[in-house]
Amino acid sequence: MRAGWRLRRTLGRALRATFVTAALAFGTLGAGPALAQTVPFTDQELTDGFVLTVFGSETDVAGARPGSRIVKKFTGPVTFHIVSTSLVDRVETTRAFVEQLGATIQNLDLAEVASVEDADMVIFLVDRANYRETIRETVWPGVDGAFLEENACSAVIASRPTGIERAHVYLVADEGFLGLSHCMVEEIAQSLGPANDSPLLKDSIFNDESDLNVFGLFDWFLLNMLYDSRIVAGMSEAEARDVLPAVIADVRALVTELFQGGGAFLAQRRQVMR
């Protein structure tokens, strides 16, 4: 969660689209069998990023022991619903980003449903004037709503050792696309489990001091690592570290697999972004 946005970089062609997928981030790396070796992150950097984002959160979550350091993730198909009360319509932009997460994160099944009651994740698109009121009206008991209200955008999860049970994401839609873009990527991705920000994550959007405003390669790795079947909800940090080397190796192999299809994967994603 951020108290404000640091938009210090000219974002160029990527941010003129409605979202940026991990596939587009890969496009700068080339293709072919050597791709897995050219990914610009070491195993140690990926492990450190995983530990920093997954074990810990900016605020205690309802249903979990305060301060617990366990893996938090959804353990089955995730249903989502978008509630838009803003005068600015950002529903299609938000829907497209969620759908692309489902398309590019292995073992993550995201499906839109027609009602709040049926949704595991509810995404609220509001005007700034209604931001605090919406949180107060919709957040469940036991959550530090004042902490959420302080931030420019926010997300909260209800999690038990058996997995995340529900998530609410609060986004402001009437303050320009760039602000929405950053918040949309960070808060929706964090609601899936990597709930902590850290200034040590220079290549991640989960960093309040980062220039990044898009869903890039590092965070694609983190979510694919988290949703690998060997990373189990309720795992301790020590248990996760035991399996992370094999998980990282397989995610690296997935990068190569995506590019050995003659570019069809990238072409499809680029077409969607037009």
Side-chain angles (χ1 to χ4, degrees):
M1 302 173 191
R2 300 200 171 206
W5 304 297
R6 297 174 174 84
L7 301 177
R8 299 188 295 269
R9 178 176 296 175
T10 300
L11 300 178
R13 180 172 56 185
L15 270 182
R16 290 199 294 269
T18 57
F19 54 87
V20 174
T21 66
L24 288 174
F26 298 158
T28 63
L29 300 178
L35 181 62
Q37 284 71 48
T38 65
V39 171
F41 313 118
T42 66
D43 286 7
Q44 188 62 56
E45 288 172 328
L46 292 169
T47 298
D48 290 346
F50 185 90
V51 170
L52 285 168
T53 57
V54 171
F55 295 102
S57 64
E58 295 173 282
T59 183
D60 294 334
V61 293
R65 178 169 55 86
S68 60
R69 292 176 58 85
I70 60 173
V71 169
K72 303 173 186 72
K73 63 186 286 188
F74 286 100
T75 57
V78 183
T79 56
F80 73 93
H81 182 75
I82 301 171
V83 177
S84 178
T85 61
S86 175
L87 296 176
V88 181
D89 185 0
R90 301 291 190 184
V91 172
E92 287 303 320
T93 296
T94 306
R95 178 182 291 121
F97 176 67
V98 177
E99 290 177 347
Q100 284 301 301
L101 284 179
T104 61
I105 307 303
Q106 299 296 290
N107 304 313
L108 177 60
D109 182 5
L110 285 159
E112 187 169 12
V113 291
S115 69
V116 170
E117 291 74 21
D118 292 331
D120 303 309
M121 177 193 299
V122 182
I123 303 168
F124 297 91
L125 295 170
V126 302
D127 292 335
R128 174 60 67 192
N130 300 321
Y131 176 73
R132 292 184 176 182
E133 180 183 0
T134 302
I135 293 173
R136 292 169 187 170
E137 291 178 348
T138 61
V139 77
W140 52 88
V143 174
D144 183 1
F147 176 80
L148 302 179
E149 293 173 26
E150 292 174 351
N151 292 275
C153 49
S154 55
V156 61
I157 61 175
S159 180
R160 299 185 185 278
T162 52
I164 297 174
E165 296 183 341
R166 58 176 164 166
H168 281 186
V169 179
Y170 300 96
L171 305 176
V172 174
D174 68 338
E175 293 184 338
F177 175 72
L178 294 184
L180 173 70
S181 174
H182 178 93
C183 278
M184 177 182 67
V185 173
E186 180 180 17
E187 303 301 343
I188 291 176
Q190 286 192 321
S191 73
L192 294 171
N196 196 41
D197 282 322
S198 172
L200 300 176
L201 298 171
K202 64 181 179 64
D203 297 304
S204 174
I205 201 164
F206 306 140
N207 177 358
D208 287 351
E209 300 176 7
S210 171
D211 289 332
L212 297 176
N213 293 84
V214 297
F215 183 69
L217 182 59
F218 191 84
D219 295 323
W220 181 91
F221 262 91
L222 294 185
L223 281 176
N224 272 283
M225 291 159 61
L226 177 60
Y227 277 86
D228 187 279
S229 61
R230 289 162 290 191
I231 300 294
V232 179
M235 262 187 173
S236 67
E237 180 181 335
E239 291 170 329
R241 284 183 180 273
D242 284 343
V243 298
L244 276 175
V247 170
I248 292 171
D250 286 350
V251 178
R252 288 189 186 280
L254 176 61
V255 178
T256 302
E257 178 183 339
L258 293 177
F259 276 83
Q260 285 181 332
F265 181 86
L266 270 181
Q268 177 184 5
R269 298 310 188 271
R270 287 172 176 146
Q271 183 63 35
V272 170
M273 291 186 64
R274 290 175 183 166

